[in-house]
């Protein structure tokens, strides 16, 4: 049985040998998965957010409202297509397709399952795999930025251009943190192949504690927890999802880069966000959650990772991550743009760099004796703790008293209202209003009440 299970893990040598019709089936399956997951993702988000907001959500078109997304797509497709007069027609037309194509292309190197038999041919449940497959994922994620930037520029309007520029700054900022998070995966797995990373997580980890071998989980989400957290945060920023949905901030940018788009082009831009969300959930599952391998309780069953069952575990993990995306949207408010950029450059990036250095140090002392490893780890932890405790903090100086601030104002400054809220008498009036006696006036014969 162990030999049979080992044979299920695909390697790079297993790709490139399928007949053309089998390759076509895989491509169609990956495309259908992205499209169907997007349609169901829109419905899933509206239902979950409705549940969080104590309302039903879509429930009229089709059973449980499942056909509502299809109806909305048909409605947008048949709406009037408006072309701005100042738009660059060629770029304006192709910009929405760039975002969708890049998001779907990334699914080609995502493993959906182990090797299975399809019409008598043993083949991996993956379109293709290369030795640098994760770099392909990063390239597809980076190319998706061009669709948003070109869409904002080609519209020939101020608001879309501003939204495109914000999207550029946001995505580039979080590409750096995402790339550094994946570096930790490379260092641990020893490969950039997606199928190889999944296989590395299936072997588990053996920890030596007090001379005893203790099995540890193989998922990199546990072994590389800081990288997993930073990668997922960067993923939320990459997909323009709340609380990082600043390119489409309706209260600030009038829908951002897609303001001048309508009809089917607007639908492509909207759906590209959901395709990216599903794709990045699949990538996160592959890199950190063991890919198509079953979680711990299910692994007690010997056949959990054989046949077509792994596809079920893979889809379950993807749905769980999509739920987290929706959960964040229904829970957290949108960040200000300066807070968002500061968080990416001054928080995620330094923490990721320190974590990579720590991980590299731990990897370099793996061959040392146990006592030497403990001493080196203790020294490193002590240095890191001291650096954290004595790191200079920029505390704001206490503000001087209010009267001192008033006295230090330069001559000719704008007049200040009274600090005690007592309005002094006007110098332009002739009446004396300060501490005067009440006037005793005798009513004349012509006086009367009014």
């Amino acid at each position: 049985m162990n030999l049979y299970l080992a044979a299920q893990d695909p390697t790079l040598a297993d790709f490139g040998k399928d007949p053309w019709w089998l390759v076509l089936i895989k491509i169609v399956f990956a495309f259908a998965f992205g499209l169907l997951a997007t349609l169901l993702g829109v419905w899933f988000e509206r239902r979950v957010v409705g549940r969080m907001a104590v309302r039903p959500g879509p429930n009229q078109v089709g059973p449980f409202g499942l056909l509502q997304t299809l109806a909305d797509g048909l409605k947008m497709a048949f709406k009037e297509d408006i072309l701005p007069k100042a738009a660059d027609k060629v770029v304006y037309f192709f910009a929405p397709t760039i975002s969708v194509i890049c998001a779907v292309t990334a699914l080609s190197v995502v493993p959906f399952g182990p090797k299975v038999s399809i019409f008598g041919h043993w083949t991996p449940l993956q379109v293709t795999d290369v030795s640098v497959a994760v770099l392909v994922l990063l390239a597809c994620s980076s190319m998706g930025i061009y669709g948003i930037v070109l869409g904002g520029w080609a519209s020939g309007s101020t608001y879309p251009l501003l939204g495109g520029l914000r999207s550029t700054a946001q995505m580039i900022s979080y590409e750096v943190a995402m790339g550094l998070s994946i570096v930790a995966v490379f260092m641990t797995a020893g490969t950039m192949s997606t199928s190889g990373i999944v296989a590395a997580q299936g072997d588990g980890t053996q920890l030596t504690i007090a001379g005893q071998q203790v099995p540890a989980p193989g998922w990199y989400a546990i072994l590389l927890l800081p990288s997993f957290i930073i990668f997922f945060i960067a993923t939320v920023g990459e997909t323009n999802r709340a609380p990082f949905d600043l390119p489409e901030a309706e209260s600030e940018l009038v829908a951002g880069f897609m303001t001048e788009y309508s009809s089917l082009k607007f639908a492509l831009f909207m759906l590209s966000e959901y395709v990216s969300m599903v794709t990045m959930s699949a990538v996160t599952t592959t890199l950190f959650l063991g890919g198509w391998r079953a979680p711990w309780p299910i692994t007690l069953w010997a056949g959990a990772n054989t046949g077509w069952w792994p596809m079920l575990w893979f889809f379950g993990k993807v749905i769980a991550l999509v739920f987290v995306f929706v959960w964040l949207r229904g829970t957290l408010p949108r960040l200000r743009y300066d807070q968002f950029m500061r968080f990416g450059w001054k928080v995620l990036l330094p923490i990721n760099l320190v974590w990579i250095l720590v991980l590299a140090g731990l990897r370099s002392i793996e061959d040392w004796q146990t006592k030497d490893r403990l001493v080196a780890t203790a020294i490193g932890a002590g240095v890191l703790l001291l650096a954290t405790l004595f790191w200079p903090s920029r505390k704001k100086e206490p503000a001087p008293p209010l009267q001192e601030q008033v006295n230090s104002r330069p001559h000719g400054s704008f007049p200040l209202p009274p600090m005690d809220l007592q309005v002094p008498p006007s110098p332009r009036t002739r009446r004396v209003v300060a501490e005067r006696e009440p006037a005793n006036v005798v009513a004349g014969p012509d006086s009367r009440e009014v």
Side-chain angles (χ1 to χ4, degrees):
M1 177 62 71
N2 292 334
L3 294 175
Y4 176 73
L5 292 179
Q8 302 303 303
D9 288 314
T11 61
L12 291 177
D14 296 322
F15 294 92
K17 301 178 180 179
D18 298 329
W20 65 269
W21 55 267
L22 189 54
V23 175
L24 183 62
I25 290 177
K26 290 183 180 181
I27 294 175
V28 172
F29 173 78
F31 178 78
F33 167 74
L35 183 61
L36 185 61
T38 300
L39 295 176
L40 294 178
V42 177
W43 170 85
F44 180 75
E45 179 175 19
R46 295 175 67 179
R47 292 284 292 188
V48 172
V49 173
R51 181 75 173 180
M52 293 178 177
V54 197
R55 53 184 176 82
N59 60 354
Q60 296 298 316
V61 183
F64 305 103
L66 283 170
L67 299 181
Q68 182 64 56
T69 304
L70 181 61
D72 292 340
L74 293 175
K75 177 184 67 176
M76 285 189 288
F78 287 101
K79 278 184 174 292
E80 181 182 3
D81 190 6
I82 301 173
L83 178 64
K85 185 177 181 181
D88 187 311
K89 296 180 176 57
V90 177
V91 180
Y92 179 85
F93 176 79
F94 282 105
T97 61
I98 295 175
S99 299
V100 178
I101 291 173
C102 291
V104 175
T105 303
L107 292 173
S108 61
V109 293
V110 173
F112 293 90
K115 294 178 63 176
V116 296
S117 176
I118 301 179
F119 300 114
H121 291 270
W122 280 91
T123 179
L125 284 176
Q126 183 176 353
V127 177
T128 186
D129 193 12
V130 291
S131 58
V132 289
V134 180
L135 297 185
V136 175
L137 296 175
L138 286 177
C140 292
S141 176
S142 301
M143 289 293 293
I145 303 174
Y146 286 94
I148 294 176
V149 176
L150 293 176
W153 172 81
S155 299
S157 179
T158 304
Y159 281 115
L161 179 60
L162 183 58
L165 292 176
R166 285 167 61 127
S167 303
T168 307
Q170 169 179 327
M171 292 184 173
I172 291 176
S173 302
Y174 283 80
E175 280 283 345
V176 180
M178 180 183 293
L180 287 176
S181 300
I182 300 177
V183 168
V185 177
F186 297 165
M187 295 170 60
T188 308
T191 179
M192 293 186 184
S193 166
T194 50
S195 59
I197 292 174
V198 173
Q201 295 179 74
D203 295 338
T205 305
Q206 296 293 330
L207 300 179
T208 304
I209 301 178
Q212 299 293 328
Q213 293 289 332
V214 179
W219 286 9
Y220 292 153
I222 300 174
L223 298 178
L224 307 174
L225 183 60
S227 295
F228 171 66
I229 295 175
I230 295 174
F231 181 85
F232 191 77
I233 294 175
T235 297
V236 177
E238 277 285 308
T239 54
N240 299 330
R241 295 284 305 179
F244 305 145
D245 56 337
L246 296 173
E248 301 101 359
E250 293 87 354
S251 58
E252 306 167 23
L253 297 175
V254 195
F257 62 90
M258 62 177 70
T259 303
E260 300 293 346
Y261 279 89
S262 59
S263 187
L264 189 59
K265 299 184 188 67
F266 174 81
L268 288 176
F269 262 132
M270 187 192 72
L271 293 179
S272 67
E273 177 180 314
Y274 287 91
V275 175
S276 300
M277 180 176 64
V278 174
T279 301
M280 296 312 297
S281 298
V283 172
T284 306
T285 299
T286 300
L287 298 181
F288 292 96
L289 299 180
W292 44 264
R293 294 187 174 274
W296 169 70
I298 307 177
T299 54
L300 299 177
W301 171 38
N305 292 323
T306 60
W308 295 88
W309 287 104
M311 289 188 65
L312 181 62
W313 323 137
F314 178 82
F315 292 149
K317 296 174 185 178
V318 171
I319 293 173
L321 289 176
V322 171
F323 172 77
V324 175
F325 275 97
V326 178
W327 188 9
L328 292 176
R329 175 184 175 181
T331 305
L332 300 179
R334 179 186 297 132
L335 272 70
R336 286 202 323 262
Y337 193 73
D338 60 319
Q339 294 174 333
F340 180 51
M341 298 302 293
R342 187 183 303 113
F343 181 66
W345 287 107
K346 295 186 177 182
V347 178
L348 293 184
L349 187 58
I351 292 176
N352 217 340
L353 287 173
V354 173
W355 165 244
I356 292 297
L357 290 176
V358 171
L359 183 62
L362 294 176
R363 296 280 296 177
S364 63
I365 63 175
E366 283 184 346
D367 298 332
W368 292 11
Q369 298 293 329
T370 304
K371 183 178 179 180
D372 296 337
R373 286 205 307 266
L374 292 177
V375 172
T377 305
I379 293 175
V383 171
L384 185 60
L385 180 61
L386 291 176
T388 304
L389 292 177
F390 293 100
W391 189 267
S393 60
R394 297 188 303 172
K395 293 184 179 179
K396 294 183 179 180
E397 297 182 359
L402 186 60
Q403 191 60 41
E404 183 178 342
Q405 297 182 40
V406 174
N407 296 335
S408 62
R409 298 175 77 245
H411 179 71
S413 299
F414 193 82
L416 289 175
M419 297 296 102
D420 55 358
L421 300 182
Q422 297 296 326
V423 181
S426 175
R428 298 181 180 180
T429 182
R430 296 181 180 180
R431 294 183 303 166
V432 179
V433 295
E435 299 181 356
R436 69 179 182 178
E437 296 292 334
N440 296 323
V441 180
V442 180
D446 297 334
S447 64
R448 60 189 180 86
E449 294 183 0
V450 178

